[in-house]
Every structure is written in C-alpha cells, then in structure tokens.
Amino acid sequence: MPESVRWYAARGRLSEAAGIVGKLEARALRRGPLAEPRATPAAAASPPAGRIPHTRRTIRTTAVLAVGFFGSTLGLYLFQNWALYVLVDGLKYTEGHAYEIQLVWNLVYAVTPFLALLFIDRAERKTAVFVLSVVAAVPLVAFGLVTESRLVTATGGLCGIVTGLVVTVYYAYIPEALPTAARGLGSGVVKSVGHCGGAAAGVLGAALYGSWGNTGLMAVAAASYILFALPVLFLGPRTTNRPLEGVAAEEPSTTEGART
C-alpha cells in the first residue's frame, strides 16, 4: 500500500504526494477518461494537529463509534464463542458432528468479502451498519430456535456471513469518520472498546446460557446488534463518496443536511 497522500501533504512533502496521486490516476485511466478534479477547500479555523484528538467533534465521534463497535463485537462473540458449546451441550450433537458444522460455517464465511464488494462503496456506511445489524438479528434469533441439523447449519452460516459484513463496514467506516490527525488514536480507542465487548461476551454468555438457554443467548446477541447501531445511524457522520476534509469539518448533528 502506498503512503497516505494526506500524510505527505501535511508534512510539506508535496512532490511525493503528487507522485502517488499520479500513479493512482494512471491506473484509473486504463478504464477510461477521468472527470476533472474538484478542489475541496480546507476547513475554516482548523485547530492545530495536536489539539484535534481533544476537540468536541472528535471525542463525540469516537464515543459514537466505540458504542456501536462494542455492541457489534459483543453480539459477534456471544455467537462465535458459544455456538459450538450450544451444539454439544444444548443440542446434544457429538463433538465430531459439531466440528463438521463449524467447518461448514468457516468455509461459507469466505464469501463475505465478495458480498461486501457489491455494496460497500455504494451504500452510506452508517446506514449499511444499521441495516446489516438488523439483518444479522434474523439468523441469530433463528439459530436460537432451530434444532434440526440442516437448519442449524444454515442459520449459523448466515450468522457468520452477515455479522462478518457488519465488521467489514465498520473497518471501512471508522477511519473515514475521524480526522486525519486523530485517526490512529481514535481508531485504537474504538477497537479497544470493541474488544471489551468481546471479553464481556465470555462472562455474559455464561450467565445468559445458564438462565435462558440458547434462545435467550441469541436473542440478546441480536438485540445488541440493533440497539448499539442506533447511535451510529443517528449521530455518526456521513462519509461515503465524500472528501475526508468535508467529513472532518462537520459536526455529526449537521451531516444529514449536507450533500456532496
């Protein structure tokens, strides 16, 4: 991967930035002529780079992303960490049969990045996060209800695919939503909070399975996807097909009124 053009430009290394842009344009021209570029004015009254991680806009965006990513990771690991246990302990499958089903899930999961290619740059990121979170809830609830082997295999495979799509969109959305100077720190905070959701799934999953069984466990996983995606939908910035400078200059509450 080439170095960030913005990173070079921020340090005055414009010739190196221009060289990368030239190479990218040359590759794009193989598919046909390009439209004339449109200059994007820099955001007015931009704070110094050292202060950007502490601005209200950055803190709010980081918090919104962290909440959403926490919920998706919690739901993901409530399924992934406990699915095999459910097959053996709850449904009384042999360990060999349970591992065969999990192998099918892992093989089916390989289609996830190819499905993401079909829509990830066409749909608005935060909308895709919410819609896919709602879609993920359906096979999760179904997995908590079915007992027949083929249905278990099918619903579990769908859980793996759709939850994987949610994570894929988050990985594209998180760095776009944060200002360039705060991207490393902000992304680290968001993903660290998300890993806390994964850790919580171990303790919470045990309590849920012990009290409500597989049905309650998967119902909570489904609910966590939907509930924690709501702040992202309503408060997250709009990023798809927009210049990063335009995203960074806006407050999350005003992004809906702006158009590219």
Side-chain angles (χ1 to χ4, degrees):
M1 294 292 290
E3 185 55 86
S4 165
V5 173
R6 288 174 173 81
W7 187 87
Y8 276 133
R11 285 155 179 77
R13 297 163 64 174
L14 301 183
S15 61
E16 291 164 289
I20 293 175
V21 173
K23 291 178 182 178
L24 295 174
E25 287 182 339
R27 290 175 58 185
L29 284 169
R30 298 172 193 168
R31 295 172 177 254
L34 300 175
E36 287 297 316
R38 292 180 298 173
T40 301
S46 231
R51 285 183 50 210
I52 287 179
H54 309 291
T55 61
R56 181 183 300 177
R57 188 265 176 198
T58 303
I59 293 172
R60 180 164 55 180
T61 301
T62 302
V64 168
L65 294 172
V67 167
F69 198 59
F70 174 90
S72 67
T73 308
L74 174 64
L76 174 67
Y77 284 104
L78 284 175
F79 167 70
Q80 285 194 347
N81 284 358
W82 289 94
L84 188 65
Y85 187 80
V86 166
L87 296 180
V88 176
D89 179 77
L91 299 179
K92 306 304 179 184
Y93 291 177
T94 65
E95 289 189 11
H97 189 193
Y99 280 118
E100 288 174 358
I101 291 175
Q102 191 171 54
L103 175 62
V104 173
W105 292 346
N106 291 337
L107 292 174
V108 169
Y109 182 80
V111 307
T112 300
F114 299 101
L115 292 176
L117 283 173
L118 300 176
F119 69 88
I120 195 166
D121 286 328
R122 294 181 174 90
E124 172 53 48
R125 304 266 196 251
K126 65 175 184 174
T127 305
V129 164
F130 179 75
V131 171
L132 288 170
S133 296
V134 173
V135 173
V138 177
L140 283 169
V141 171
F143 180 76
L145 297 172
V146 299
T147 57
E148 199 274 326
S149 179
R150 287 174 295 182
L151 292 176
V152 169
T153 304
T155 54
L158 287 174
C159 287
I161 291 172
V162 185
T163 55
L165 290 174
V166 175
V167 172
T168 301
V169 177
Y170 263 117
Y171 281 158
Y173 182 54
I174 291 169
E176 290 178 343
L178 295 165
T180 301
R183 189 158 298 135
L185 176 61
S187 297
V189 170
V190 171
K191 293 174 183 177
S192 296
V193 173
H195 289 313
C196 292
V203 178
L204 180 61
L208 292 172
Y209 185 75
S211 300
W212 298 339
N214 187 35
T215 301
L217 176 68
M218 294 303 150
V220 172
S224 71
Y225 267 100
I226 297 174
L227 294 177
F228 285 92
L230 286 171
V232 177
L233 177 66
F234 290 111
L235 300 175
R238 188 172 53 85
T239 65
T240 301
N241 295 323
R242 301 186 62 217
L244 295 180
E245 290 80 7
V247 176
E250 290 183 354
E251 291 290 329
S253 60
T254 64
T255 55
E256 291 303 323
R259 292 293 179 268
T260 302

